[in-house]
Amino acid sequence: MIREMFKKFLLSAVVLLGTAVAAHAETFVFTAIPDEDETRLKTRFEKVATYLSDKLGVEVKYIPVKSYAAAVTAFRNDQVQLAWFGGLSGVRARKLVPGSQAIAQGEEDKAFETFFIAHNSTGLKPAASLPKEIAGKTFTFGSKGSTSGRLMPEYFIRQAFQDAPEKVFSRVGFSGDHSRTIALVQSGAFEVGAVNFKVWENEMKAGKIDPAKVSVIWKTPAYPDYNWSIRGDADKRFGAGFTEKVKTALLEMKDPDLLSSFPRASFIPASNSDYQPILDVGQKIGLLDE
Amino acid sequence: MTTSTAINGPSAAVPQRSPLLRASLGFFLLAVCLLLVADIEITTRDPWLELGRLALGIVTPDFFAVEDLAQALFNTIAFAIVGVVLGSSFGFVLALSFHHRAVRVFCAVIRAVHELFWGLIFLQVFGLTPLTAVLAIAIPYAGIFAKVFSEILEESDPAPLKSLPSGTGTISAFLYARLPDALSHFKTYTLYRLECALRSSAVLGFVGLPTIGFHLESAFAQGGYSEAAALLILFYVIIATIRVWARRQLVPFYILVSLIFLPWGGSISMSHVATFFTHDIVPYPLRVAETFDATTLSALWAWMTDLFAGQALPGIVSTVVLTQIALVGTGMLTLLFFPLISPKFFGTVGRNIGHVALVVIRSTPEYILTLILLLLWGPSMLPAIVALALHNGAIIGHLIGRHTETMGLRPDHAKGLNLYFYEVTPRIYPQFLAFLFYRWEVIMRETAILGILGITTLGFYIDSAFADLRFDRALFLIAITALLNLGIDALSRRIRARLRLKSRLDAV
Amino acid sequence: MLNKDPAPLLALENRSAHYNGLTALSGITLRIQAGERVALVGQSGAGKSTLLRLLYEQQADEAALVPQDLGLVNALSVFHNIYMGRLHKYGTAYNLLNLIRPQRKEVEAVRAITRSLDLEEKLFARAGELSGGQQQRTAVGRALFKGAAVFFGDEPVSSVDEHQSRDVLKAIVDRHETVVLSMHDVGLALAFTDRIVGLKSGRLVLDRPTRDLAASDLDDLYRD
């Protein structure tokens, strides 16, 4: 016990000095930010880690992160080798890590949508195209790096109005979170908001939304979203064919308890090219440098 | 006599405002003018549903909903302690050479950057490791410690030094004649800083470090108010009992325990450190240019002017507007808060209630206060102003309240409001203003955190740059923020000198 | 004047007082009638301030006081410091108004007092900017402004020069029915009071009408 503590102490002293400590090469680390319910992340995803560990035959660890940017940084700095990214963060991460690939997506992610929601006092009615009357209202995105809460809604706003959101609306905010977007529009703090359709549907089911106060006014066209991406050097470090093994393990994940953490019905194959539309949109609206 | 007064300025025989009052009035009027142009619209229509949930959560705290709660609490305290120990040690060394201009500038620069930004920078370099958290606290704190420690040394009684036998060595002279006098001030100040560090440590959780802020942010964002209430209550208890557990003799023990039990796992790759400094933070036009020629230069110029006009400038305006209004709000709330814990106004029971109230107000991170007020009033600058004023008002109110403890009054002093307006407030006013001017740059730094919530201060644009992984832009904007802070710091020093306010304070 | 009235204004019976384990006063018995002007004299450390404080406490609500540390608010003007003598007489709102904008009526009343103390030029100077003597006169001004019948002063003119001291003491005795002063200046004590109480090492060693005394009679008090 004391020896163990002493060892830990020595190790920490070394780290503290900033000396590079070789990663435990045998541990495969992943991270994931679900699009809703960020509580008890560790408890939920450690089950996924156990599942992957059984399938892959290596030690698998999960680390929780706070934001898409943090996930991308961890992926880039090799603190994680596999990550459950949003569409935009996946594109960013793969740009930064040469050879990395998108290997799977949720069944729902091949045709993801954003819902524009409005407080009912605005009098806005559901429409087939983005209602022009939202101009001049107050508007909130989700988090700044989100595909469904930021990138795509901004793209469609720019397309409809030929102008930046700050020019279209009287006030633009970033709620930081889909659940919070709903809460803010429901309270009338913002008149209009853009929210991940799955979060909306689940919160509606959970009875957290009062239809007398807030409702959907427009649904965006479909676009690809969340994805599993793996670093390009995974095969080199964990053995030939490792990437393929990870992909298979993900596609074969059928336990609803595991899938509900994401939450997705199942995982299906994906490739980098599936996300070309996201890359194009990102560059078009200036969120990505060319 | 009367004739000479015409030459010597205003006569003392007619009413005149003291320079302190005139300065206060000037700041007040400026804030009122800014309020007229600032965005403080209340837009919320029916916040009661969400506020009802919040109220319910507060009265039903759930201490078992947070996973790894013990580790999060431990991390919060351990980061703070190690950060303060490192910060005060470096700060002490820097204080000894503070007479060098280079050292002073260096310290001013490192403390001009908010710990949250240091955290975001180190996150890119060292990842989610304790090193990131510890350095994010230790570095800006070293700059603050250096300044305060050097001021304490400067103002220590020079008499002992003069009475030393000639030929006494420099180090002996320092150890015998200067340090002993300063040491008790160092101790008081360090304890105060530890409380600040606990708050900083919690705040670092908002960007992903594993402190209670991590869980607090998630809980608040997703309406887990029972969980949030539990976290806040535990945090209040830690802060309120700081005098009980923060003892000098226990410091080595705490450091040892921190080093052993912090989750040091994870790796730091020197190549990523190098990439960050040689690639990531290099302005984009330079990074992609093949040669450094006129085209590159004009691209760089365009990059800088775009960034300055599009983000820095509006950011500076919002930051300054928010800061000035929040500063005056802080002052007004301070004057309201300090009697709550002053023995001049309340008995033991009343003071204890006051202490609890002030601990709650000052320990609730501004970020959380703003989130709550945002629900209540909608997304204008108003929630940020009130949150900053409450938070800082409670901090200075606490310090001023303690200050009144030693104030001697005549046996026939006035009572109640007369006591407040005629005896106590005029006496504490210079001290109060000094605290407030010291806090000025702190308030400006704190506007950064609120940027993350969408209040369009410089912090907002910096956070966006980090979210977009554009570290070149982030660094550029951080540099501008630092310059703005240095400017406020210099202005504050000048005003304090002008008003002849005591230059050093044991706290703030 | 010294006949034993059954109800003296101030009375101590065999009182002692201790500070930090040291005896400041021991076995003091003293009665003071309304209308008397009493000087407490003795070396510094003899117990004058302690005795004055004990006597003051018996009349705290009614009496005006000039404590040795003056109790001025340095950040406020002479006007405000003097006005503070009547804070208890006015409503808080009015006091607040006077703090922000001195009312003419009060200014004139306070001005009259500063005139008698030769302080008029400094009416709106901040107390912290005054000389020691001016500060002391301001403290006396506050006591005068209170308009009490009983006055207690702990060395109220110790920093004021000889000539002005006489004016100040005259103002004090003219405006109060009963006056108790602790003083170290024997000459002034003899000139402005009608009863001298002498203290030595915390004991009452002298208590006689002034008219029976000459300055030399007090020399014993200052001898070790």
Side-chain angles (χ1 to χ4, degrees), chain B residues 83-167:
Chain B
V84 165
V85 168
L86 284 180
S88 57
S89 311
F90 291 145
F92 179 72
V93 174
L94 288 167
L96 296 180
S97 48
F98 212 68
H99 49 277
H100 293 299
R101 195 186 164 81
V103 173
R104 277 203 308 278
V105 172
F106 173 73
C107 291
V109 169
I110 59 175
R111 69 169 184 268
V113 177
H114 193 274
E115 52 264 27
L116 204 62
F117 295 149
W118 282 115
L120 281 168
I121 292 171
F122 289 127
L123 265 179
Q124 311 311 320
V125 184
F126 302 126
L128 284 167
T129 59
L131 188 62
T132 296
V134 166
L135 287 181
I137 295 172
I139 290 184
Y141 279 41
I144 300 166
F145 272 118
K147 176 182 169 190
V148 174
F149 281 0
S150 79
E151 284 172 0
I152 290 172
L153 286 172
E154 220 167 81
E155 291 184 18
S156 65
D157 185 3
L161 206 56
K162 285 181 188 145
S163 59
L164 284 178
S166 63

Side-chain angles (χ1 to χ4, degrees), chain B residues 180-463:
Chain B
D181 185 31
L183 214 52
S184 70
H185 294 289
F186 285 178
K187 218 177 100 186
T188 315
Y189 185 73
T190 307
L191 187 65
Y192 166 76
R193 268 287 136 196
L194 182 62
E195 184 183 324
C196 300
L198 284 166
R199 283 194 290 266
S200 302
S201 182
V203 164
L204 285 170
F206 301 156
V207 295
L209 288 155
T211 65
I212 69 166
F214 186 100
H215 304 286
L216 199 57
E217 202 266 351
S218 300
F220 259 100
Q222 287 157 11
Y225 297 124
S226 296
E227 193 181 330
L231 286 164
L232 282 174
I233 289 170
L234 289 172
F235 190 52
Y236 299 150
V237 170
I238 292 173
I239 299 261
T241 56
I242 194 164
R243 277 162 198 277
V244 179
W245 57 264
R247 295 175 179 279
R248 204 177 29 177
Q249 310 89 293
L250 292 175
V251 168
F253 170 73
Y254 287 143
I255 296 174
L256 195 66
V257 170
S258 303
L259 290 179
I260 293 172
F261 290 105
L262 276 176
W264 294 101
S267 58
I268 294 159
S269 151
M270 279 302 156
S271 75
H272 292 125
V273 177
T275 313
F276 182 76
F277 288 109
T278 58
H279 179 269
D280 295 359
I281 62 171
V282 176
Y284 180 73
L286 285 184
R287 213 188 312 149
V288 296
E290 318 236 303
T291 54
F292 189 78
D293 53 20
T295 334
T296 315
L297 208 60
S298 71
L300 179 65
W301 178 247
W303 180 87
M304 275 171 55
T305 46
D306 276 4
L307 204 51
F308 191 80
Q311 305 197 355
L313 209 54
I316 289 171
V317 171
S318 297
T319 301
V320 170
V321 168
L322 176 55
T323 303
Q324 290 314 109
I325 300 174
L327 178 72
V328 172
T330 298
M332 288 162 63
L333 285 180
T334 300
L335 293 175
L336 206 63
F337 285 156
F338 85 81
L340 298 180
I341 63 158
S342 167
K344 301 286 179 286
F345 296 97
F346 289 99
T348 320
V349 179
R351 270 201 327 272
N352 282 337
I353 297 172
H355 270 296
V356 170
L358 290 195
V359 163
V360 166
I361 300 174
R362 74 175 189 268
S363 308
T364 308
E366 312 89 313
Y367 183 90
I368 299 296
L369 283 175
T370 310
L371 264 178
I372 297 171
L373 296 172
L374 207 74
L375 276 176
L376 191 60
W377 294 324
S380 66
M381 208 179 257
L382 187 63
I385 293 169
V386 175
L388 280 172
L390 277 171
H391 178 79
N392 290 293
I395 289 175
I396 309 182
H398 170 78
L399 296 171
I400 295 284
R402 295 225 154 223
H403 189 70
T404 62
E405 284 170 11
T406 51
M407 182 187 289
L409 291 177
R410 297 165 45 130
D412 62 343
H413 66 76
K415 303 271 181 329
L417 279 177
N418 288 331
L419 172 66
Y420 178 85
F421 283 111
Y422 274 82
E423 299 258 15
V424 179
T425 305
R427 283 176 216 261
I428 53 112
Y429 207 79
Q431 183 83 33
F432 157 78
L433 271 194
F435 276 131
L436 204 57
F437 282 126
Y438 256 76
R439 202 75 196 168
W440 195 0
E441 54 161 331
V442 180
I443 292 174
M444 174 164 277
R445 273 203 296 274
E446 283 172 349
T447 62
I449 310 176
L450 307 177
I452 296 176
L453 280 174
I455 318 284
T456 55
T457 58
L458 281 164
F460 170 82
Y461 296 102
I462 295 170
D463 177 63

Side-chain angles (χ1 to χ4, degrees), chain A residues 38 43 66 76 144 171, chain B residues 39 67 214 222 280 463:
Chain A
E38 284 177 35
T43 320
K66 192 94 221 161
R76 178 202 193 183
K144 288 170 182 168
R171 191 199 298 279
Chain B
D39 171 18
E67 60 181 8
F214 186 100
Q222 287 157 11
D280 295 359
D463 177 63

Side-chain angles (χ1 to χ4, degrees), chain A residues 21-61:
Chain A
V21 175
H24 306 280
E26 70 281 3
T27 309
F28 183 61
V29 189
F30 79 101
T31 187
I33 312 178
D35 39 12
E36 60 181 307
D37 189 10
E38 284 177 35
T39 57
R40 296 183 307 284
L41 287 177
K42 245 179 146 170
T43 320
R44 287 151 57 196
F45 285 102
E46 263 159 17
K47 286 191 221 156
V48 178
T50 310
Y51 166 84
L52 288 175
S53 185
D54 286 348
K55 289 273 180 179
L56 301 173
V58 294
E59 197 187 322
V60 180
K61 215 181 114 198

Side-chain angles (χ1 to χ4, degrees), chain A residues 52 55-58 103 230 235 238-252:
Chain A
L52 288 175
K55 289 273 180 179
L56 301 173
V58 294
I103 51 174
I230 189 165
D235 284 6
F238 295 92
F242 187 77
T243 302
E244 209 46 45
K245 266 167 81 182
V246 173
K247 184 169 177 174
T248 312
L250 291 171
L251 300 184
E252 285 176 356

